[in-house]
Structure formats: structure tokens, C-alpha cells
Amino acid sequence: MAGWLLLCPLLAWSEDEDVLKRYVPRVREVPASEKTLNFGIVYASQWTYYLTAQHSIIKKQGSFENWHRNMFSPHFDKDSFDYNIFKHGVTGNYYYLWFRSRGYDRVEAFWWSFLSSLAFEFTVETATERPSYQDIYQTPVYGTVLGVGMEKLSIFFHGQESWWGHTLGYVLNPFPLIPQWDEKYNFSYTPILSKEQKGLLVSYEF
Amino acid sequence: MNSRIISILFLLISFSARADKYVFKADQWQKGIHLFAGGGLNASIYNSDFAKQDQGVGLNFKTEVGYYINSQWALEAASRVKFNKVKEYLVWDTLFTGGLKYRFNHFPFTKSKGIYARAFAGKAPTVFYLRDSPEIYRKTKASRIQYDGPVYGGAIGNMYDGANGKVWYVEYGFTYQQLNRYIGVKNDGEIPVTEFANTGNKFKIYSLYVSIGLLVF
């Protein structure tokens, strides 16, 4: 059941050339400085998530000694399937979509998802638990399968050329809202200063 | 052991992820890293303390990440998630395997050049959910029992070139799992806690499966 749910989005596709041109990620040679920045953003997000969402567990079980010792003792975890399949699959899906939106091809996005997953398992989460072989495999692999499907589904919805289509498209894959680092931002702001009122008019085109 | 596994992972990363110029076809595999994903059905026979000589039928989800060495050979890391309903238990297991894949240029009784065989071995955490079995739940205080042990298997399949350029496959396979250790697990909030552990009982699973899937990249 879980697997079929992961697999179904793979079948969606939009054939409209204009839609493909506008919403399919532009693949390019990403410079090393951008790769460092892209990975750094993921890594910072992982720490932010871990320190906030796992705060009570860190307080209860976490220690610097664990953080160091656990790095060298990966194992097969005993989590339930909703964690191991769904939550890790969805997380991997966001890693994959993030790297795709930065201009990586599918294979590169998969490898960087894999590295991101390793970074979390071996250098973040170890304060409270040992790295898990299931997570090391499943996060990037299921994430990529789901991500490929979500990207296609998102493009399909954008292809409907309606407000609800674009909304759904960005809900499924929000990262194209952030332009690639070599693009101009479609962002503008205009200060409004008059005797009666003061303000800022902000617009963002997507 | 652990450092060896990590070394293999980094060795795999060091292979060029970039694909050759030609595209992957059913009868002409493209050198490089490729990912397949599919789903299907499986039938299993269980022999354990909790399910003696029982049968189960269920769904599965299979993924394979392979380094395709040339047009005929590939090294692969794969997982197959199975869900089976065996009497009152939900059984969930994940077969993590490494193996070899070989494509036959000629195969008896067919002109297809997409026929391939896989041989694999690995490890398979197998979980019995006990929630629907109040008696065992009361006795053990665990909400699930997780087994652990080696898995061996083989498969034969056929790849096809789809009309829209997609490559898809149908695969038939068998697996043998010998699970030697088990732990009883209950959740303390979000944290899984081991209630008991045992290494004395051996537990075997024989499984047949069929899977249909696609080349993701």
C-alpha cells in the first residue's frame, strides 16, 4: 500500500511544451560555491528542525558523548513503518526537490539527497540515536522516487493554467518559488512616503 | 563491519553519476547509476513461535539503485518492503540486499534481449505487529516483535521499452529469510523501547513475488 502510494505520482506527466519550458527545472553546471551554499542550507535546516522538533528527546536522552560515540555505531533501527517509510520518504522528497530546483539533474539531485541524509544520520541525530541503515537507504531512494513523481505532478497542475493549478503545483513542490542563484529575483519593493501615510509596497512574481 | 559498509557507500558515490550519451534501453543498458522502482504482490510461508507454518499474501514495494558496469552487468543495492496479513498479525519486513544483475543477450524460447537475472543477499528486519492479538500483547507487553537475520534470493525478469521512451519491467523472484534474533518493542512516546530480546529461536520465511516497475533515472 505504502509503496504503491509512493509510486503512483510517477505516472503523471504534462506534455505541454510551454509548461515544460516554464516549470521543468533548468539543469545547468552548478558551480562549487553554489553546491556548498545549497548543501549548507539543507544542513542548517536539519539542525534547526532537530533542535526544535526533537527538543524534549534531546533534553531527556541527548549528550555530547552520545553525539560522538553514536557516529561510529550504525545499526538497523526498530522504528515503526510510518517513520521509516513515510516520514523519511517525505523528507527525502524535499531534499531531492530542493536540489532539483537549484539546477541539478536527477542523478546529481539523488546523490546530494543521499549526502544530506548521511549528514543528518551521522552528524546531527547522533546526539540521541545511532545512525540507521534503513534511513540511510530509504530517505534518499524513496525520497527520489517520490520527488520525481511530485515534480511531474506539480508540473501537471501548473499546466492547468489556473489559480488552483498553480497553488497545488507550489504546494507539492514549493522550491521553484525561490529562483536559481544565477537568476534575477522577480521581487520588487517601493516605499510609500506621504504626509498621510507611510508604507512599503512589495511584489513577488511567480 | 560498519566502516566497511560506509566505505562501500562512498566508493559508490565516487563512480561518475553522469550518464553516457545514449539512453537506457531494455536491450542496451546504459553505463552509470540508475534507479528502478516498482510494486507488486508476494506470497510467503512463515514458520515461527508466533506463526507456525502460516501463509500470507500481500503487497510489496521494490527499489533498486544500481551501478550499471556495461550493457550486461550491474551491481545493485536494493530494498523490497513487504506487507503481509498472517492470521491476526500484520507483518512488515524490509529486505535490504546487495547483488548482481545480468542481462541475457540470448535466452531460450524467446527473441527478447531484455531478459535479466538477479542474485542477491543481505539483511531483513521483519516486524510482527501484535496490536490485534490481545493475548500475546498482554503476555509480552510489546506492541511489536522485530526479527533480524540474513536473506538470500534470486529473480528473473524482462525489461520493455515503453511507447513514450519509458523503460519498464516485470520480475518474478523468490527469497529465503532466516531470522535468528528477535526483540519485543513498545513505543514510549516517539521512542521505541526494547521490552525483551531473544536469540534462541530460529524463524524462516520463504517468499515468492512478482513486481512491475519503471526506470526512474
Side-chain angles (χ1 to χ4, degrees), chain B residues 164-183:
Chain B
N164 51 2
K166 284 189 169 68
V167 175
W168 60 284
Y169 70 84
V170 179
E171 182 177 301
Y172 305 91
F174 70 93
T175 52
Y176 166 69
Q177 292 164 248
Q178 189 179 346
L179 306 178
N180 303 326
R181 295 176 299 166
Y182 67 80
I183 53 173

mmCIF file with all atom_site columns, all heavy atoms in Angstrom, chain B residues 164-183:
data_model
loop_
_atom_site.group_PDB
_atom_site.id
_atom_site.type_symbol
_atom_site.label_atom_id
_atom_site.label_alt_id
_atom_site.label_comp_id
_atom_site.label_asym_id
_atom_site.label_entity_id
_atom_site.label_seq_id
_atom_site.pdbx_PDB_ins_code
_atom_site.Cartn_x
_atom_site.Cartn_y
_atom_site.Cartn_z
_atom_site.occupancy
_atom_site.B_iso_or_equiv
_atom_site.pdbx_formal_charge
_atom_site.auth_seq_id
_atom_site.auth_comp_id
_atom_site.auth_asym_id
_atom_site.auth_atom_id
_atom_site.pdbx_PDB_model_num
ATOM 1   N N   . ASN B 1 164 ? 6.463  5.703   -24.849 1.00 0.00 ? 164 ASN B N   1
ATOM 2   C CA  . ASN B 1 164 ? 6.880  7.097   -24.596 1.00 0.00 ? 164 ASN B CA  1
ATOM 3   C C   . ASN B 1 164 ? 8.328  7.197   -24.125 1.00 0.00 ? 164 ASN B C   1
ATOM 4   O O   . ASN B 1 164 ? 8.717  8.195   -23.507 1.00 0.00 ? 164 ASN B O   1
ATOM 5   C CB  . ASN B 1 164 ? 5.945  7.724   -23.561 1.00 0.00 ? 164 ASN B CB  1
ATOM 6   C CG  . ASN B 1 164 ? 5.822  6.846   -22.332 1.00 0.00 ? 164 ASN B CG  1
ATOM 7   O OD1 . ASN B 1 164 ? 6.465  5.794   -22.238 1.00 0.00 ? 164 ASN B OD1 1
ATOM 8   N ND2 . ASN B 1 164 ? 4.999  7.268   -21.387 1.00 0.00 ? 164 ASN B ND2 1
ATOM 9   N N   . GLY B 1 165 ? 9.122  6.171   -24.395 1.00 0.00 ? 165 GLY B N   1
ATOM 10  C CA  . GLY B 1 165 ? 10.538 6.206   -24.024 1.00 0.00 ? 165 GLY B CA  1
ATOM 11  C C   . GLY B 1 165 ? 10.825 5.684   -22.634 1.00 0.00 ? 165 GLY B C   1
ATOM 12  O O   . GLY B 1 165 ? 11.982 5.572   -22.238 1.00 0.00 ? 165 GLY B O   1
ATOM 13  N N   . LYS B 1 166 ? 9.778  5.376   -21.864 1.00 0.00 ? 166 LYS B N   1
ATOM 14  C CA  . LYS B 1 166 ? 9.989  4.846   -20.517 1.00 0.00 ? 166 LYS B CA  1
ATOM 15  C C   . LYS B 1 166 ? 10.366 3.365   -20.601 1.00 0.00 ? 166 LYS B C   1
ATOM 16  O O   . LYS B 1 166 ? 9.847  2.632   -21.422 1.00 0.00 ? 166 LYS B O   1
ATOM 17  C CB  . LYS B 1 166 ? 8.715  4.986   -19.683 1.00 0.00 ? 166 LYS B CB  1
ATOM 18  C CG  . LYS B 1 166 ? 8.451  6.402   -19.207 1.00 0.00 ? 166 LYS B CG  1
ATOM 19  C CD  . LYS B 1 166 ? 7.311  6.410   -18.211 1.00 0.00 ? 166 LYS B CD  1
ATOM 20  C CE  . LYS B 1 166 ? 7.172  7.742   -17.508 1.00 0.00 ? 166 LYS B CE  1
ATOM 21  N NZ  . LYS B 1 166 ? 6.731  8.817   -18.392 1.00 0.00 ? 166 LYS B NZ  1
ATOM 22  N N   . VAL B 1 167 ? 11.272 2.947   -19.731 1.00 0.00 ? 167 VAL B N   1
ATOM 23  C CA  . VAL B 1 167 ? 11.630 1.527   -19.660 1.00 0.00 ? 167 VAL B CA  1
ATOM 24  C C   . VAL B 1 167 ? 10.909 0.937   -18.446 1.00 0.00 ? 167 VAL B C   1
ATOM 25  O O   . VAL B 1 167 ? 10.939 1.516   -17.363 1.00 0.00 ? 167 VAL B O   1
ATOM 26  C CB  . VAL B 1 167 ? 13.157 1.356   -19.497 1.00 0.00 ? 167 VAL B CB  1
ATOM 27  C CG1 . VAL B 1 167 ? 13.525 -0.098  -19.307 1.00 0.00 ? 167 VAL B CG1 1
ATOM 28  C CG2 . VAL B 1 167 ? 13.876 1.928   -20.712 1.00 0.00 ? 167 VAL B CG2 1
ATOM 29  N N   . TRP B 1 168 ? 10.247 -0.163  -18.654 1.00 0.00 ? 168 TRP B N   1
ATOM 30  C CA  . TRP B 1 168 ? 9.558  -0.800  -17.532 1.00 0.00 ? 168 TRP B CA  1
ATOM 31  C C   . TRP B 1 168 ? 9.897  -2.290  -17.496 1.00 0.00 ? 168 TRP B C   1
ATOM 32  O O   . TRP B 1 168 ? 10.468 -2.824  -18.448 1.00 0.00 ? 168 TRP B O   1
ATOM 33  C CB  . TRP B 1 168 ? 8.051  -0.561  -17.577 1.00 0.00 ? 168 TRP B CB  1
ATOM 34  C CG  . TRP B 1 168 ? 7.338  -1.056  -18.795 1.00 0.00 ? 168 TRP B CG  1
ATOM 35  C CD1 . TRP B 1 168 ? 7.344  -0.486  -20.033 1.00 0.00 ? 168 TRP B CD1 1
ATOM 36  C CD2 . TRP B 1 168 ? 6.531  -2.231  -18.892 1.00 0.00 ? 168 TRP B CD2 1
ATOM 37  N NE1 . TRP B 1 168 ? 6.582  -1.214  -20.895 1.00 0.00 ? 168 TRP B NE1 1
ATOM 38  C CE2 . TRP B 1 168 ? 6.068  -2.289  -20.226 1.00 0.00 ? 168 TRP B CE2 1
ATOM 39  C CE3 . TRP B 1 168 ? 6.130  -3.209  -17.981 1.00 0.00 ? 168 TRP B CE3 1
ATOM 40  C CZ2 . TRP B 1 168 ? 5.238  -3.316  -20.665 1.00 0.00 ? 168 TRP B CZ2 1
ATOM 41  C CZ3 . TRP B 1 168 ? 5.298  -4.227  -18.412 1.00 0.00 ? 168 TRP B CZ3 1
ATOM 42  C CH2 . TRP B 1 168 ? 4.857  -4.274  -19.748 1.00 0.00 ? 168 TRP B CH2 1
ATOM 43  N N   . TYR B 1 169 ? 9.565  -2.943  -16.382 1.00 0.00 ? 169 TYR B N   1
ATOM 44  C CA  . TYR B 1 169 ? 9.954  -4.345  -16.218 1.00 0.00 ? 169 TYR B CA  1
ATOM 45  C C   . TYR B 1 169 ? 8.864  -5.139  -15.502 1.00 0.00 ? 169 TYR B C   1
ATOM 46  O O   . TYR B 1 169 ? 8.020  -4.574  -14.785 1.00 0.00 ? 169 TYR B O   1
ATOM 47  C CB  . TYR B 1 169 ? 11.273 -4.453  -15.429 1.00 0.00 ? 169 TYR B CB  1
ATOM 48  C CG  . TYR B 1 169 ? 11.121 -4.087  -13.974 1.00 0.00 ? 169 TYR B CG  1
ATOM 49  C CD1 . TYR B 1 169 ? 10.682 -5.017  -13.026 1.00 0.00 ? 169 TYR B CD1 1
ATOM 50  C CD2 . TYR B 1 169 ? 11.377 -2.784  -13.533 1.00 0.00 ? 169 TYR B CD2 1
ATOM 51  C CE1 . TYR B 1 169 ? 10.522 -4.679  -11.710 1.00 0.00 ? 169 TYR B CE1 1
ATOM 52  C CE2 . TYR B 1 169 ? 11.211 -2.441  -12.215 1.00 0.00 ? 169 TYR B CE2 1
ATOM 53  C CZ  . TYR B 1 169 ? 10.780 -3.397  -11.298 1.00 0.00 ? 169 TYR B CZ  1
ATOM 54  O OH  . TYR B 1 169 ? 10.599 -3.061  -9.982  1.00 0.00 ? 169 TYR B OH  1
ATOM 55  N N   . VAL B 1 170 ? 8.931  -6.444  -15.720 1.00 0.00 ? 170 VAL B N   1
ATOM 56  C CA  . VAL B 1 170 ? 8.151  -7.394  -14.911 1.00 0.00 ? 170 VAL B CA  1
ATOM 57  C C   . VAL B 1 170 ? 9.166  -8.387  -14.351 1.00 0.00 ? 170 VAL B C   1
ATOM 58  O O   . VAL B 1 170 ? 10.014 -8.889  -15.092 1.00 0.00 ? 170 VAL B O   1
ATOM 59  C CB  . VAL B 1 170 ? 7.107  -8.154  -15.758 1.00 0.00 ? 170 VAL B CB  1
ATOM 60  C CG1 . VAL B 1 170 ? 6.324  -9.140  -14.893 1.00 0.00 ? 170 VAL B CG1 1
ATOM 61  C CG2 . VAL B 1 170 ? 6.167  -7.189  -16.440 1.00 0.00 ? 170 VAL B CG2 1
ATOM 62  N N   . GLU B 1 171 ? 9.085  -8.645  -13.052 1.00 0.00 ? 171 GLU B N   1
ATOM 63  C CA  . GLU B 1 171 ? 10.091 -9.509  -12.424 1.00 0.00 ? 171 GLU B CA  1
ATOM 64  C C   . GLU B 1 171 ? 9.423  -10.535 -11.504 1.00 0.00 ? 171 GLU B C   1
ATOM 65  O O   . GLU B 1 171 ? 8.481  -10.216 -10.789 1.00 0.00 ? 171 GLU B O   1
ATOM 66  C CB  . GLU B 1 171 ? 11.047 -8.626  -11.613 1.00 0.00 ? 171 GLU B CB  1
ATOM 67  C CG  . GLU B 1 171 ? 12.170 -9.390  -10.939 1.00 0.00 ? 171 GLU B CG  1
ATOM 68  C CD  . GLU B 1 171 ? 13.128 -8.458  -10.207 1.00 0.00 ? 171 GLU B CD  1
ATOM 69  O OE1 . GLU B 1 171 ? 13.718 -7.570  -10.848 1.00 0.00 ? 171 GLU B OE1 1
ATOM 70  O OE2 . GLU B 1 171 ? 13.265 -8.627  -8.981  1.00 0.00 ? 171 GLU B OE2 1
ATOM 71  N N   . TYR B 1 172 ? 9.928  -11.760 -11.554 1.00 0.00 ? 172 TYR B N   1
ATOM 72  C CA  . TYR B 1 172 ? 9.454  -12.835 -10.675 1.00 0.00 ? 172 TYR B CA  1
ATOM 73  C C   . TYR B 1 172 ? 10.645 -13.265 -9.818  1.00 0.00 ? 172 TYR B C   1
ATOM 74  O O   . TYR B 1 172 ? 11.746 -13.458 -10.352 1.00 0.00 ? 172 TYR B O   1
ATOM 75  C CB  . TYR B 1 172 ? 8.961  -14.033 -11.481 1.00 0.00 ? 172 TYR B CB  1
ATOM 76  C CG  . TYR B 1 172 ? 7.904  -13.671 -12.491 1.00 0.00 ? 172 TYR B CG  1
ATOM 77  C CD1 . TYR B 1 172 ? 8.261  -13.329 -13.798 1.00 0.00 ? 172 TYR B CD1 1
ATOM 78  C CD2 . TYR B 1 172 ? 6.562  -13.647 -12.146 1.00 0.00 ? 172 TYR B CD2 1
ATOM 79  C CE1 . TYR B 1 172 ? 7.310  -12.967 -14.729 1.00 0.00 ? 172 TYR B CE1 1
ATOM 80  C CE2 . TYR B 1 172 ? 5.591  -13.280 -13.073 1.00 0.00 ? 172 TYR B CE2 1
ATOM 81  C CZ  . TYR B 1 172 ? 5.977  -12.943 -14.353 1.00 0.00 ? 172 TYR B CZ  1
ATOM 82  O OH  . TYR B 1 172 ? 5.028  -12.576 -15.270 1.00 0.00 ? 172 TYR B OH  1
ATOM 83  N N   . GLY B 1 173 ? 10.433 -13.448 -8.526  1.00 0.00 ? 173 GLY B N   1
ATOM 84  C CA  . GLY B 1 173 ? 11.574 -13.798 -7.684  1.00 0.00 ? 173 GLY B CA  1
ATOM 85  C C   . GLY B 1 173 ? 11.184 -14.621 -6.469  1.00 0.00 ? 173 GLY B C   1
ATOM 86  O O   . GLY B 1 173 ? 10.003 -14.816 -6.183  1.00 0.00 ? 173 GLY B O   1
ATOM 87  N N   . PHE B 1 174 ? 12.206 -15.101 -5.800  1.00 0.00 ? 174 PHE B N   1
ATOM 88  C CA  . PHE B 1 174 ? 11.990 -15.830 -4.538  1.00 0.00 ? 174 PHE B CA  1
ATOM 89  C C   . PHE B 1 174 ? 13.016 -15.337 -3.522  1.00 0.00 ? 174 PHE B C   1
ATOM 90  O O   . PHE B 1 174 ? 14.105 -14.875 -3.896  1.00 0.00 ? 174 PHE B O   1
ATOM 91  C CB  . PHE B 1 174 ? 12.141 -17.337 -4.737  1.00 0.00 ? 174 PHE B CB  1
ATOM 92  C CG  . PHE B 1 174 ? 13.559 -17.760 -4.996  1.00 0.00 ? 174 PHE B CG  1
ATOM 93  C CD1 . PHE B 1 174 ? 14.385 -18.151 -3.949  1.00 0.00 ? 174 PHE B CD1 1
ATOM 94  C CD2 . PHE B 1 174 ? 14.075 -17.750 -6.292  1.00 0.00 ? 174 PHE B CD2 1
ATOM 95  C CE1 . PHE B 1 174 ? 15.712 -18.507 -4.189  1.00 0.00 ? 174 PHE B CE1 1
ATOM 96  C CE2 . PHE B 1 174 ? 15.395 -18.088 -6.527  1.00 0.00 ? 174 PHE B CE2 1
ATOM 97  C CZ  . PHE B 1 174 ? 16.217 -18.484 -5.479  1.00 0.00 ? 174 PHE B CZ  1
ATOM 98  N N   . THR B 1 175 ? 12.660 -15.427 -2.254  1.00 0.00 ? 175 THR B N   1
ATOM 99  C CA  . THR B 1 175 ? 13.611 -15.080 -1.191  1.00 0.00 ? 175 THR B CA  1
ATOM 100 C C   . THR B 1 175 ? 13.499 -16.082 -0.058  1.00 0.00 ? 175 THR B C   1
ATOM 101 O O   . THR B 1 175 ? 12.431 -16.680 0.162   1.00 0.00 ? 175 THR B O   1
ATOM 102 C CB  . THR B 1 175 ? 13.357 -13.665 -0.621  1.00 0.00 ? 175 THR B CB  1
ATOM 103 O OG1 . THR B 1 175 ? 11.995 -13.548 -0.259  1.00 0.00 ? 175 THR B OG1 1
ATOM 104 C CG2 . THR B 1 175 ? 13.720 -12.590 -1.622  1.00 0.00 ? 175 THR B CG2 1
ATOM 105 N N   . TYR B 1 176 ? 14.589 -16.249 0.627   1.00 0.00 ? 176 TYR B N   1
ATOM 106 C CA  . TYR B 1 176 ? 14.636 -17.104 1.818   1.00 0.00 ? 176 TYR B CA  1
ATOM 107 C C   . TYR B 1 176 ? 15.217 -16.269 2.952   1.00 0.00 ? 176 TYR B C   1
ATOM 108 O O   . TYR B 1 176 ? 16.310 -15.731 2.825   1.00 0.00 ? 176 TYR B O   1
ATOM 109 C CB  . TYR B 1 176 ? 15.505 -18.330 1.535   1.00 0.00 ? 176 TYR B CB  1
ATOM 110 C CG  . TYR B 1 176 ? 15.893 -19.090 2.784   1.00 0.00 ? 176 TYR B CG  1
ATOM 111 C CD1 . TYR B 1 176 ? 14.935 -19.796 3.506   1.00 0.00 ? 176 TYR B CD1 1
ATOM 112 C CD2 . TYR B 1 176 ? 17.207 -19.112 3.232   1.00 0.00 ? 176 TYR B CD2 1
ATOM 113 C CE1 . TYR B 1 176 ? 15.290 -20.493 4.654   1.00 0.00 ? 176 TYR B CE1 1
ATOM 114 C CE2 . TYR B 1 176 ? 17.571 -19.805 4.376   1.00 0.00 ? 176 TYR B CE2 1
ATOM 115 C CZ  . TYR B 1 176 ? 16.609 -20.488 5.088   1.00 0.00 ? 176 TYR B CZ  1
ATOM 116 O OH  . TYR B 1 176 ? 16.955 -21.163 6.228   1.00 0.00 ? 176 TYR B OH  1
ATOM 117 N N   . GLN B 1 177 ? 14.486 -16.149 4.032   1.00 0.00 ? 177 GLN B N   1
ATOM 118 C CA  . GLN B 1 177 ? 14.959 -15.386 5.181   1.00 0.00 ? 177 GLN B CA  1
ATOM 119 C C   . GLN B 1 177 ? 15.131 -16.330 6.368   1.00 0.00 ? 177 GLN B C   1
ATOM 120 O O   . GLN B 1 177 ? 14.248 -17.162 6.642   1.00 0.00 ? 177 GLN B O   1
ATOM 121 C CB  . GLN B 1 177 ? 13.941 -14.310 5.580   1.00 0.00 ? 177 GLN B CB  1
ATOM 122 C CG  . GLN B 1 177 ? 13.806 -13.211 4.558   1.00 0.00 ? 177 GLN B CG  1
ATOM 123 C CD  . GLN B 1 177 ? 12.550 -12.389 4.780   1.00 0.00 ? 177 GLN B CD  1
ATOM 124 O OE1 . GLN B 1 177 ? 11.629 -12.434 3.972   1.00 0.00 ? 177 GLN B OE1 1
ATOM 125 N NE2 . GLN B 1 177 ? 12.495 -11.656 5.879   1.00 0.00 ? 177 GLN B NE2 1
ATOM 126 N N   . GLN B 1 178 ? 16.259 -16.190 7.049   1.00 0.00 ? 178 GLN B N   1
ATOM 127 C CA  . GLN B 1 178 ? 16.489 -16.968 8.268   1.00 0.00 ? 178 GLN B CA  1
ATOM 128 C C   . GLN B 1 178 ? 16.712 -15.960 9.382   1.00 0.00 ? 178 GLN B C   1
ATOM 129 O O   . GLN B 1 178 ? 17.753 -15.308 9.438   1.00 0.00 ? 178 GLN B O   1
ATOM 130 C CB  . GLN B 1 178 ? 17.699 -17.872 8.099   1.00 0.00 ? 178 GLN B CB  1
ATOM 131 C CG  . GLN B 1 178 ? 17.848 -18.847 9.236   1.00 0.00 ? 178 GLN B CG  1
ATOM 132 C CD  . GLN B 1 178 ? 19.047 -19.755 9.054   1.00 0.00 ? 178 GLN B CD  1
ATOM 133 O OE1 . GLN B 1 178 ? 19.606 -19.834 7.974   1.00 0.00 ? 178 GLN B OE1 1
ATOM 134 N NE2 . GLN B 1 178 ? 19.423 -20.429 10.112  1.00 0.00 ? 178 GLN B NE2 1
ATOM 135 N N   . LEU B 1 179 ? 15.715 -15.819 10.213  1.00 0.00 ? 179 LEU B N   1
ATOM 136 C CA  . LEU B 1 179 ? 15.769 -14.758 11.217  1.00 0.00 ? 179 LEU B CA  1
ATOM 137 C C   . LEU B 1 179 ? 16.096 -15.376 12.575  1.00 0.00 ? 179 LEU B C   1
ATOM 138 O O   . LEU B 1 179 ? 15.348 -16.207 13.090  1.00 0.00 ? 179 LEU B O   1
ATOM 139 C CB  . LEU B 1 179 ? 14.450 -14.000 11.237  1.00 0.00 ? 179 LEU B CB  1
ATOM 140 C CG  . LEU B 1 179 ? 14.030 -13.465 9.857   1.00 0.00 ? 179 LEU B CG  1
ATOM 141 C CD1 . LEU B 1 179 ? 12.683 -12.772 9.921   1.00 0.00 ? 179 LEU B CD1 1
ATOM 142 C CD2 . LEU B 1 179 ? 15.064 -12.527 9.280   1.00 0.00 ? 179 LEU B CD2 1
ATOM 143 N N   . ASN B 1 180 ? 17.233 -14.980 13.131  1.00 0.00 ? 180 ASN B N   1
ATOM 144 C CA  . ASN B 1 180 ? 17.769 -15.665 14.301  1.00 0.00 ? 180 ASN B CA  1
ATOM 145 C C   . ASN B 1 180 ? 17.503 -14.950 15.617  1.00 0.00 ? 180 ASN B C   1
ATOM 146 O O   . ASN B 1 180 ? 17.458 -15.582 16.663  1.00 0.00 ? 180 ASN B O   1
ATOM 147 C CB  . ASN B 1 180 ? 19.288 -15.820 14.147  1.00 0.00 ? 180 ASN B CB  1
ATOM 148 C CG  . ASN B 1 180 ? 19.637 -16.558 12.866  1.00 0.00 ? 180 ASN B CG  1
ATOM 149 O OD1 . ASN B 1 180 ? 18.908 -17.440 12.431  1.00 0.00 ? 180 ASN B OD1 1
ATOM 150 N ND2 . ASN B 1 180 ? 20.738 -16.157 12.246  1.00 0.00 ? 180 ASN B ND2 1
ATOM 151 N N   . ARG B 1 181 ? 17.387 -13.635 15.580  1.00 0.00 ? 181 ARG B N   1
ATOM 152 C CA  . ARG B 1 181 ? 17.239 -12.895 16.838  1.00 0.00 ? 181 ARG B CA  1
ATOM 153 C C   . ARG B 1 181 ? 15.924 -12.135 16.798  1.00 0.00 ? 181 ARG B C   1
ATOM 154 O O   . ARG B 1 181 ? 15.468 -11.739 15.744  1.00 0.00 ? 181 ARG B O   1
ATOM 155 C CB  . ARG B 1 181 ? 18.376 -11.879 16.982  1.00 0.00 ? 181 ARG B CB  1
ATOM 156 C CG  . ARG B 1 181 ? 19.728 -12.495 17.102  1.00 0.00 ? 181 ARG B CG  1
ATOM 157 C CD  . ARG B 1 181 ? 20.772 -11.403 17.127  1.00 0.00 ? 181 ARG B CD  1
ATOM 158 N NE  . ARG B 1 181 ? 20.759 -10.618 15.910  1.00 0.00 ? 181 ARG B NE  1
ATOM 159 C CZ  . ARG B 1 181 ? 21.371 -9.455  15.756  1.00 0.00 ? 181 ARG B CZ  1
ATOM 160 N NH1 . ARG B 1 181 ? 22.008 -8.913  16.758  1.00 0.00 ? 181 ARG B NH1 1
ATOM 161 N NH2 . ARG B 1 181 ? 21.343 -8.821  14.609  1.00 0.00 ? 181 ARG B NH2 1
ATOM 162 N N   . TYR B 1 182 ? 15.330 -11.909 17.957  1.00 0.00 ? 182 TYR B N   1
ATOM 163 C CA  . TYR B 1 182 ? 14.184 -11.026 17.965  1.00 0.00 ? 182 TYR B CA  1
ATOM 164 C C   . TYR B 1 182 ? 14.129 -10.191 19.227  1.00 0.00 ? 182 TYR B C   1
ATOM 165 O O   . TYR B 1 182 ? 14.683 -10.567 20.266  1.00 0.00 ? 182 TYR B O   1
ATOM 166 C CB  . TYR B 1 182 ? 12.875 -11.773 17.744  1.00 0.00 ? 182 TYR B CB  1
ATOM 167 C CG  . TYR B 1 182 ? 12.413 -12.729 18.807  1.00 0.00 ? 182 TYR B CG  1
ATOM 168 C CD1 . TYR B 1 182 ? 11.766 -12.264 19.950  1.00 0.00 ? 182 TYR B CD1 1
ATOM 169 C CD2 . TYR B 1 182 ? 12.580 -14.094 18.659  1.00 0.00 ? 182 TYR B CD2 1
ATOM 170 C CE1 . TYR B 1 182 ? 11.303 -13.143 20.906  1.00 0.00 ? 182 TYR B CE1 1
ATOM 171 C CE2 . TYR B 1 182 ? 12.126 -14.981 19.616  1.00 0.00 ? 182 TYR B CE2 1
ATOM 172 C CZ  . TYR B 1 182 ? 11.495 -14.500 20.744  1.00 0.00 ? 182 TYR B CZ  1
ATOM 173 O OH  . TYR B 1 182 ? 11.048 -15.374 21.690  1.00 0.00 ? 182 TYR B OH  1
ATOM 174 N N   . ILE B 1 183 ? 13.490 -9.038  19.083  1.00 0.00 ? 183 ILE B N   1
ATOM 175 C CA  . ILE B 1 183 ? 13.289 -8.165  20.239  1.00 0.00 ? 183 ILE B CA  1
ATOM 176 C C   . ILE B 1 183 ? 11.817 -7.761  20.276  1.00 0.00 ? 183 ILE B C   1
ATOM 177 O O   . ILE B 1 183 ? 11.168 -7.659  19.248  1.00 0.00 ? 183 ILE B O   1
ATOM 178 C CB  . ILE B 1 183 ? 14.172 -6.889  20.177  1.00 0.00 ? 183 ILE B CB  1
ATOM 179 C CG1 . ILE B 1 183 ? 13.986 -6.156  18.836  1.00 0.00 ? 183 ILE B CG1 1
ATOM 180 C CG2 . ILE B 1 183 ? 15.632 -7.217  20.396  1.00 0.00 ? 183 ILE B CG2 1
ATOM 181 C CD1 . ILE B 1 183 ? 14.694 -4.825  18.763  1.00 0.00 ? 183 ILE B CD1 1
#
